[in-house]
């Protein structure tokens, strides 16, 4: 009864791909690059490549195991009944809210720092939350279409951004190549695999996909493109700022934008960067608010998700005004990974094994891309 009450809007592969690229890559526009730099020095770009290899391996295993179009919450109900479904739904909700918290807290503060110094952060947060609520209200189909249109625009801006930085590159700034050492990159660097933890949304939105094969292609492509973005951003930053000076800036990408001077009339590239940056943040947040509502909707068999938007946005607002410094937020991410990693990367593998029990006999149909 409950499952039939929930309506699914089908998203095309290109829309899902753009959506996942956004939710992964948006982190690189805030404090996330600094975490790479602090750990590995100016070999942070190598750490990003290492993280890509790890995540591709995890995604390959998950893709090989997973069958059908049911997400892990629905599979939990099929295998363990309503009790397991609610338990897994709450775990997923917690993981998503943890991922979302860093953005909802850091973005208003960074807007105040770089754009609206005379405004109180609380006012910025309220306007931000209202915009997010409106975005979530229009639904995932509309969010995905807007996202698909805007991501190529953001890509063009990023490409121009990188080309304009070329005159400032100094190859000696990334020496030594392995920065703070192999252990920092390949052992301690595992911590930043959390950059890709938003891939959990691909599983959550699986019922919205045309079929499982298309969803897998979207996920693989989104991971590769997002990792490429992360590597080129980190490499550009490391080529311009030598270590340890490179770890001093809280928002590395914004610092890069301030380097560029186009002309006396349009003296800084950062104005265009801030526009694109803000739109990406709003799209990211709208996706997350919708996802949080959607998880609650399917977990408790609620017919419509829109009544959930206000309480979810309210929870987001309360979390965002709890006093904590920007630096403390960056440090908290290491502890958050202890909770997020198993839910984002391990649960899909576990329920991938479970899915074979129900959909294993339809493997060939699924591999051909037919809806099952």
């Amino acid at each position: 009864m409950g499952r039939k009450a929930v309506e699914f809007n089908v998203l095309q592969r290109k829309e899902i791909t753009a959506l996942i690229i956004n939710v992964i890559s948006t982190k690189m526009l805030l404090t996330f690059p600094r975490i790479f730099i602090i750990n590995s020095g100016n070999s942070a770009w190598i750490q990003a490549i290492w993280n890509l290899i790890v995540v591709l391996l995890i995604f390959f295993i998950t893709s090989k195991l997973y069958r059908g179009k049911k997400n892990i919450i629905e599979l939990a109900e099929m295998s363990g009944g309503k009790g397991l479904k609610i338990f897994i739904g709450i775990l997923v909700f917690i993981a998503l809210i943890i991922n979302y918290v860093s953005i909802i807290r850091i973005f208003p503060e960074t807007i105040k720092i770089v754009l609206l110094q005379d405004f109180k952060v609380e006012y910025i947060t309220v306007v931000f939350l209202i915009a997010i609520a409106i975005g979530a209200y229009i639904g995932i189909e509309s969010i995905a279409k807007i996202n698909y249109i805007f991501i190529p625009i953001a890509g063009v801006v990023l490409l121009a951004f990188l080309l304009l930085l070329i005159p400032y590159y100094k190859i000696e700034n990334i020496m030594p190549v392995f920065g703070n050492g192999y252990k920092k990159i390949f052992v301690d660097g595992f911590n930043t695999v959390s950059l890709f933890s938003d891939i959990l949304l691909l599983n959550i939105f699986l019922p919205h996909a045309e079929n499982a094969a298309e969803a897998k292609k979207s996920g693989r492509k989104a991971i590769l493109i997002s990792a490429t973005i992360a590597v080129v951003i980190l490499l550009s930053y490391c080529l311009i700022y030598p270590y340890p000076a490179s770890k001093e800036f809280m928002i590395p990408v914004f610092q890069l934008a301030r380097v560029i001077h186009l002309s006396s009339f349009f003296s800084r590239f950062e104005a265009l960067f801030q526009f694109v940056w803000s739109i990406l943040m709003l799209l990211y947040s709208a996706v997350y608010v919708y996802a949080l509502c959607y998880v609650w909707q399917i977990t408790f068999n609620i017919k419509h998700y829109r009544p959930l938007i206000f309480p979810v946005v309210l929870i987001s607002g309360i979390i965002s005004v709890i006093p904590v410094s920007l630096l403390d937020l960056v440090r908290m991410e290491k502890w958050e990974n202890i909770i997020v990693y198993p839910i984002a990367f391990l649960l899909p593998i576990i329920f991938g094994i479970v899915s074979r029990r129900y959909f294993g006999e339809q493997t060939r149909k699924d591999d051909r891309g037919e809806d099952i």
Side-chain angles (χ1 to χ4, degrees), residues 243-356:
Y243 185 83
S246 56
K247 70 177 183 178
E248 298 304 317
F249 300 109
M250 187 64 67
I251 309 171
V253 176
F254 177 70
Q255 191 62 32
L256 287 177
R258 298 186 67 181
V259 168
I260 300 170
H261 294 258
L262 295 180
S263 67
S264 57
F265 174 71
F266 191 65
S267 61
R268 292 194 183 274
F269 188 83
E270 61 189 87
L272 180 58
F273 166 76
Q274 287 161 0
F275 170 75
V276 174
W277 179 45
S278 299
I279 298 297
L280 287 173
M281 293 296 172
L282 288 170
L283 288 170
Y284 173 97
S285 301
V287 170
Y288 251 91
V289 168
Y290 175 86
L292 289 165
C293 294
Y294 177 65
V295 166
W296 219 243
Q297 179 189 14
I298 60 176
T299 298
F300 296 100
N301 296 328
I302 300 170
K303 188 172 183 179
H304 301 292
Y305 79 91
R306 283 178 176 146
L308 299 169
I309 293 175
F310 177 75
V312 167
V313 170
L314 184 62
I315 291 171
S316 303
I318 292 172
I319 292 173
S320 69
V321 297
I322 297 174
V324 63
S325 72
L326 205 58
L327 190 59
D328 288 338
L329 265 177
V330 174
R331 290 170 181 157
M332 281 168 56
E333 291 183 13
K334 293 182 179 179
W335 294 101
E336 290 167 357
N337 293 338
I338 297 173
I339 301 172
V340 174
Y341 277 178
I343 299 172
F345 300 125
L346 187 59
L347 276 186
I349 292 177
I350 293 171
F351 282 100
I353 298 171
V354 171
S355 70
R356 298 175 74 90

Side-chain angles (χ1 to χ4, degrees), residues 182-202:
Y182 299 103
K183 181 178 179 293
K184 282 289 184 179
I185 296 171
F186 299 110
V187 179
D188 298 345
F190 185 80
N191 183 59
T192 48
V193 172
S194 59
L195 171 65
F196 299 94
S197 60
D198 300 278
I199 198 67
L200 177 62
L201 286 177
L202 179 65

